Amino acid sequence: MRRRNYCCLIAVAMALILFIMFMCGVISSHTSVASRSHADFSVYGRALYKLDTSWPRKPELFSGQVFAVAVNHLQGRVYVAQRGDNVPKVLVFSTDGEFLQAWNTSTLEMPHGMFLANASADPTVWITDVGNGPYGHTVKQYSPSGKLLQVLGSPGKAGSSLSPLQFDQPAEIFIHSSGEIYIVDGDGGLNNRLIKLSPDLQVLWMHGEKGQGLAQFYIPHSVAIDSSQRVWVADRGNKRIQVFNSVTGDWLGSWGSCFKDDAPYSVRFTPDQKYMVVAQLNANQITLLEAPPVGIIGQCQVISTIQLAEDIKPHLVDLDLKSADLYVAEIGAGQAQKFVPLTAAGV
């Protein structure tokens, strides 16, 4: 009898130990998920931004790989593009973090880059599609509610033609307030081009040679225009940023010394034009560089670095042109995060 009771006690103790181990594993798993939803970070250099841990209010709505983000600063809308099977390709949030809408469009295969154009009058969302299916290799214009309005390129057909216009994995688009369009094409495909189009889609100028020389590219990945009519291109494969005159297309200079460890993936300017914001995916960093004055390119100078946790993989960024809030699309973490200027954060 005593032996039986002893065996029962041992069995109960072992069951209790297994239960505790199981619960610890569950708690650890939940802790890991929580830590990925708002990653730890540290700042080197001048502290300019702080993570807003309250945005969005329901981070569990991210259900795929987050590749791009675009902000309408006038309407307070944030568009987030994600990839994956059976997931909405675009999620729409308010700048306060409320979930507003999901685009369940079948016309978008693999979103890569995103841009919000004409915010003050008739806002539209432009998305580059690097998919290989019947809708891929294109640049698409959507209404704010997700209605397809226009397609640039030849859907489902990768190519290098300018007439008719073709793309092969177009990486990103930037539309100036004048209506002029800048496209970097492509993200590892046939082309390594920077194309400028007029508002009526005529080719104004192009740089399209693959290589390491001046005005040559290897995987041009992001493009932005500053207030001094300069075009800045993240030349990812060459680990540099190249600069061009937006009117003539003339090469003005390049920055490479800041990117020896990892390539620039995204380029954007803060609203005051003081800083260029650069995402570096493999280093898990967001770097803020001092923007050069008019007429001078010089060498890049790092002012601040936001070091994200391992495997966050920041891909492309966008800024709220009113508040200067910074939104980061993160492939590895499967999320978008919001950083606010320290003055706005009350620090």
Side-chain angles (χ1 to χ4, degrees):
M1 188 68 178
R2 291 182 178 177
R3 181 176 179 84
R4 182 185 301 174
N5 290 339
Y6 181 70
C7 292
C8 289
L9 287 173
I10 293 177
V12 170
M14 291 182 65
L16 182 60
I17 292 171
L18 290 173
F19 177 76
I20 293 172
M21 292 176 64
F22 171 78
M23 290 304 297
C24 288
V26 170
I27 293 171
S28 176
S29 175
H30 283 296
T31 302
S32 176
V33 172
S35 67
R36 291 181 70 82
S37 66
H38 284 300
D40 293 334
F41 74 100
S42 54
V43 176
Y44 301 95
R46 188 187 308 170
L48 298 174
Y49 276 89
K50 176 183 178 180
L51 178 66
D52 182 351
T53 57
S54 68
W55 194 96
R57 297 181 184 177
K58 294 183 178 180
E60 65 271 15
L61 290 171
F62 296 125
S63 53
Q65 288 185 307
V66 175
F67 268 75
V69 61
V71 186
N72 184 329
H73 64 288
L74 296 180
Q75 295 184 349
R77 298 291 183 267
V78 181
Y79 300 83
V80 179
Q82 59 179 9
R83 298 183 194 174
D85 296 331
N86 302 315
V87 303
K89 296 303 171 62
V90 175
L91 300 174
V92 186
F93 299 90
S94 73
T95 51
D96 292 330
E98 294 287 351
F99 173 69
L100 301 176
Q101 184 187 14
W103 294 5
N104 292 299
T105 176
S106 61
T107 62
L108 191 56
E109 294 179 4
M110 296 181 66
H112 188 277
M114 179 184 286
F115 188 82
L116 191 290
N118 201 17
S120 60
D122 186 19
T124 57
V125 182
W126 293 76
I127 302 176
T128 63
D129 192 336
V130 298
N132 291 314
Y135 300 105
H137 302 295
T138 53
V139 180
K140 302 181 177 76
Q141 181 189 29
Y142 290 91
S143 73
S145 61
K147 179 183 178 181
L148 181 62
L149 303 175
Q150 183 176 199
V151 178
L152 307 186
S154 302
K157 298 180 181 179
S160 303
S161 171
L162 294 178
S163 183
L165 193 60
Q166 289 182 309
F167 304 108
D168 186 0
Q169 300 183 47
E172 197 182 53
I173 181 171
F174 191 103
I175 301 178
H176 191 262
S177 57
S178 64
E180 295 172 331
I181 300 170
Y182 299 82
I183 300 172
V184 281
D185 173 39
D187 187 38
L190 293 169
N191 305 321
N192 290 271
R193 307 187 297 187
L194 167 63
I195 304 172
K196 179 181 180 180
L197 303 177
S198 66
D200 61 354
L201 306 182
Q202 300 301 307
V203 177
L204 298 178
W205 53 259
M206 180 187 76
H207 292 291
E209 291 187 13
K210 179 179 179 180
Q212 300 178 347
L214 306 184
Q216 295 179 336
F217 300 106
Y218 179 43
I219 313 180
H221 198 261
S222 180
V223 57
I225 317 301
D226 68 12
S227 58
S228 302
Q229 295 186 324
R230 295 177 296 195
V231 186
W232 298 76
V233 178
D235 187 5
R236 192 185 105 189
N238 287 321
K239 291 187 177 180
R240 64 185 179 182
I241 293 174
Q242 296 201 73
V243 194
F244 302 86
N245 182 293
S246 67
V247 178
T248 64
D250 291 340
W251 183 86
L252 299 178
S254 67
W255 283 354
S257 60
C258 294
F259 312 111
K260 293 180 180 179
D261 295 330
D262 189 23
Y265 274 68
S266 183
V267 288
R268 284 291 184 269
F269 285 91
T270 55
D272 59 11
Q273 300 281 301
K274 288 184 178 180
Y275 306 106
M276 174 187 286
V277 182
V278 178
Q280 294 176 272
L281 181 141
N282 293 303
N284 297 295
Q285 290 180 345
I286 305 297
T287 303
L288 286 91
L289 309 174
E290 184 176 15
V294 177
I296 298 175
I297 301 300
Q299 292 295 317
C300 55
Q301 182 176 350
V302 175
I303 302 300
S304 179
T305 298
I306 302 172
Q307 180 65 60
L308 302 173
E310 187 177 359
D311 294 330
I312 296 299
K313 305 298 182 187
H315 185 243
L316 293 172
V317 307
D318 200 18
L319 287 104
D320 186 315
L321 297 181
K322 181 180 180 180
S323 65
D325 292 343
L326 167 64
Y327 294 85
V328 183
E330 300 168 350
I331 298 176
Q335 66 184 8
Q337 292 196 109
K338 176 183 179 180
F339 293 81
V340 298
L342 287 182
T343 53
V347 177

